[in-house]
Amino acid sequence: MIKLKCDGSGDFRILNLTDTQLKCEEWESDNKTGLIFKKTAEELIKRVSPDLITLSGDLSYAGDLQSYKNFADYFDSFGIPWTVCFGNHDNQDGPDEVQKILDEYIKHPLFLFQKCDEALGKTNFVILIEKNGKPTEGVIVMDTHDREFYLEDDKQKFHWDRLWKEQLVWYKEQITELKAVGCNDTMLITHIPINAYSLAFKAAFNCELVPKTVK
């Protein structure tokens, strides 16, 4: 469990960014896509004044290590603690490629990360936020992996992966540990949404997630 201490009377603020999917060449100074991302991030950081920045997956694409290095340098430049939860594109080339990214990130002093049981994925850890010496919030980061492949009619197909049953056991253990130190409020950061979001959408709008083709 990582402890992040914050003093003062104001609210603890978290800014979450996701699905940036920036390639290495998009970090070049004259690239429009990269400029849009940087201007957006800088404006959000200015408005929110976050105490923690979270990046919830698909920063770039596995194998594009330089782009991931650029992310680390960029977010370190704000002087704000930051962390990541990897998504399907980050995970798509397997755990060895993910480890290369993490090996770079842990060199950065503002990057928050704690190694976990790798059988559950690479990014499963807890950040305990302490305000004026008292625990106030637990930020639970959980890896939703890549894709799950299967055969159907002799064709390889896939669906997006999800939280595994073993991770849910881990999650319950973390909740117990947080409550033991007096922290009863938690938030969950993942990349691929849990199934409850799909069920809630269908219940609210009485329809499927995929819209019908408009002719």
Side-chain angles (χ1 to χ4, degrees), residues 72-109:
D73 292 337
Y74 181 71
F75 282 101
D76 257 10
S77 71
F78 294 105
I80 300 169
W82 60 279
T83 192
V84 300
C85 172
F86 287 137
N88 50 289
H89 284 308
D90 309 306
N91 278 303
Q92 66 188 18
D93 279 1
D96 290 343
E97 288 299 318
V98 176
Q99 189 59 52
K100 291 179 183 178
I101 301 168
L102 289 173
D103 288 343
E104 290 294 329
Y105 280 12
I106 59 177
K107 299 174 184 177
H108 292 260

Side-chain angles (χ1 to χ4, degrees), residues 68-201:
Y68 288 97
K69 290 180 179 180
N70 291 342
F71 268 103
D73 292 337
Y74 181 71
F75 282 101
D76 257 10
S77 71
F78 294 105
I80 300 169
W82 60 279
T83 192
V84 300
C85 172
F86 287 137
N88 50 289
H89 284 308
D90 309 306
N91 278 303
Q92 66 188 18
D93 279 1
D96 290 343
E97 288 299 318
V98 176
Q99 189 59 52
K100 291 179 183 178
I101 301 168
L102 289 173
D103 288 343
E104 290 294 329
Y105 280 12
I106 59 177
K107 299 174 184 177
H108 292 260
L110 292 171
F111 176 62
L112 302 181
F113 174 75
Q114 188 172 52
K115 189 175 181 179
C116 66
D117 180 354
E118 294 193 2
L120 305 180
K122 290 286 190 178
T123 49
N124 297 281
F125 53 93
V126 177
I127 300 171
L128 174 63
I129 298 167
E130 293 183 339
K131 189 85 175 213
N132 297 318
K134 296 181 180 179
T136 59
E137 186 87 15
V139 180
I140 302 178
V141 179
M142 297 183 74
D143 198 324
T144 48
H145 320 289
D146 180 17
R147 294 152 291 178
E148 189 172 50
F149 293 91
Y150 62 95
L151 286 176
E152 185 177 293
D153 299 328
D154 294 325
K155 295 181 179 179
Q156 188 181 59
K157 298 184 178 182
F158 74 89
H159 56 70
W160 302 120
D161 213 336
R162 65 203 78 184
L163 296 174
W164 298 339
K165 290 181 180 179
E166 296 85 353
Q167 286 176 282
L168 300 182
V169 173
W170 177 86
Y171 173 83
K172 291 179 180 179
E173 293 171 349
Q174 306 316 303
I175 293 294
T176 300
E177 289 186 25
L178 286 166
K179 286 183 176 180
V181 297
C183 180
N184 296 309
D185 294 323
T186 62
M187 65 178 294
L188 176 64
I189 296 179
T190 64
H191 179 69
I192 299 173
I194 59 176
N195 194 47
Y197 286 103
S198 173
L199 297 175
F201 182 95

